[in-house]
Amino acid sequence: MPRVSILILLFLIFSINCFATVSSNKTIYIYPLGRVEQLYLNTVRQSIQGFYHYKCVIMPILPIGNDLISPIKKRLDASKVLKKYNTNRNILIVTERDICHDKLVLKPYKHFIPEYGILGLGYRPGSVCVISLHRMKRNATKQKTLDRLQKVTLHEIGHNLGLDHCVFNKQCLMNDANGTISQVDREKVWLCTKCSNFINK
């Protein structure tokens, strides 16, 4: 077989394998935790499929058990949610309830802020993350809420893929929101070159 034909054949095989990896290698299962409006679930699914090109399946509602409630402020403890639903499947949990996490603060001295309200939390790397609409809906139109939901969803999936918080570009969606929504509003639906290269390496 001529050398050119062999090169073309190898290129076609490589292209088919790459396409198969992107289109069918990963499925993310989206679980509503408690009642979640269908529009929000559809937005999460469309955001992941459009940005990361993973197949998404919306699953039945998960009940909110007392084992997930934080003891002081009665929010959902995001760490408990991740631990409970951490399996070998890729799972994204969506809730309209407020969620919290014990936040580590290093300055002026090392300490924890208990039950600190957050937008989302995900293992890095890992296969499970949780996002909350509670803070996204504050003083926001429906469209603004959906914009925020898209960014936070892609941010937490980014953590599952191994991305840390971005310190290179304030418009990269992997910036740390620090529990506030203003940083999310400043971001684009975009990964900076550093973060993009990490995922695509």
Side-chain angles (χ1 to χ4, degrees), residues 67-167:
D67 58 323
L68 301 179
I69 306 298
S70 64
I72 302 172
K73 298 181 180 179
K74 304 304 179 184
R75 295 166 171 163
L76 293 181
D77 188 321
S79 296
K80 292 179 179 178
V81 173
L82 296 186
K83 184 176 180 181
K84 181 172 182 176
Y85 295 107
N86 186 28
T87 68
N88 58 355
R89 302 178 93 188
N90 301 296
I91 293 176
L92 186 148
I93 296 169
V94 187
T95 184
E96 295 196 39
R97 292 279 297 272
D98 199 10
I99 63 175
C100 65
H101 178 62
D102 291 345
K103 181 179 180 180
L104 175 62
V105 179
L106 299 177
K107 295 180 180 180
Y109 58 92
K110 186 175 180 180
H111 65 286
F112 281 94
I113 300 176
E115 301 186 19
Y116 185 81
I118 57 175
L119 298 165
L121 189 69
Y123 286 144
R124 182 183 69 86
S127 60
V128 61
C129 57
V130 57
I131 56 177
S132 166
L133 283 138
H134 181 82
R135 295 166 188 272
M136 300 181 206
K137 294 190 289 184
R138 287 182 177 174
N139 303 314
T141 63
K142 198 74 162 186
Q143 186 56 53
K144 176 63 76 174
T145 301
L146 295 177
D147 291 344
R148 292 168 172 175
L149 176 60
Q150 181 182 25
K151 294 174 188 177
V152 174
T153 296
L154 300 178
H155 177 103
E156 297 307 332
I157 294 294
H159 282 319
N160 283 172
L161 292 172
L163 282 172
D164 201 349
H165 284 137
C166 182
V167 295

Side-chain angles (χ1 to χ4, degrees), residues 33-53:
L33 183 57
R35 181 192 172 278
V36 177
E37 189 175 332
Q38 189 64 41
L39 175 61
Y40 296 138
L41 297 174
N42 291 341
T43 298
V44 168
R45 177 177 60 190
Q46 292 162 7
S47 299
I48 297 170
Q49 291 178 162
F51 195 82
Y52 290 117
H53 309 295

Side-chain angles (χ1 to χ4, degrees), residues 4-39:
V4 174
S5 298
I6 293 174
L7 291 175
I8 291 174
L9 180 60
L10 290 173
F11 174 78
L12 290 173
I13 292 172
F14 177 79
S15 300
I16 291 170
N17 286 338
C18 286
F19 180 77
T21 299
V22 171
S23 64
S24 62
N25 191 44
K26 179 171 276 190
T27 299
I28 296 179
Y29 297 91
I30 302 167
Y31 283 90
L33 183 57
R35 181 192 172 278
V36 177
E37 189 175 332
Q38 189 64 41
L39 175 61

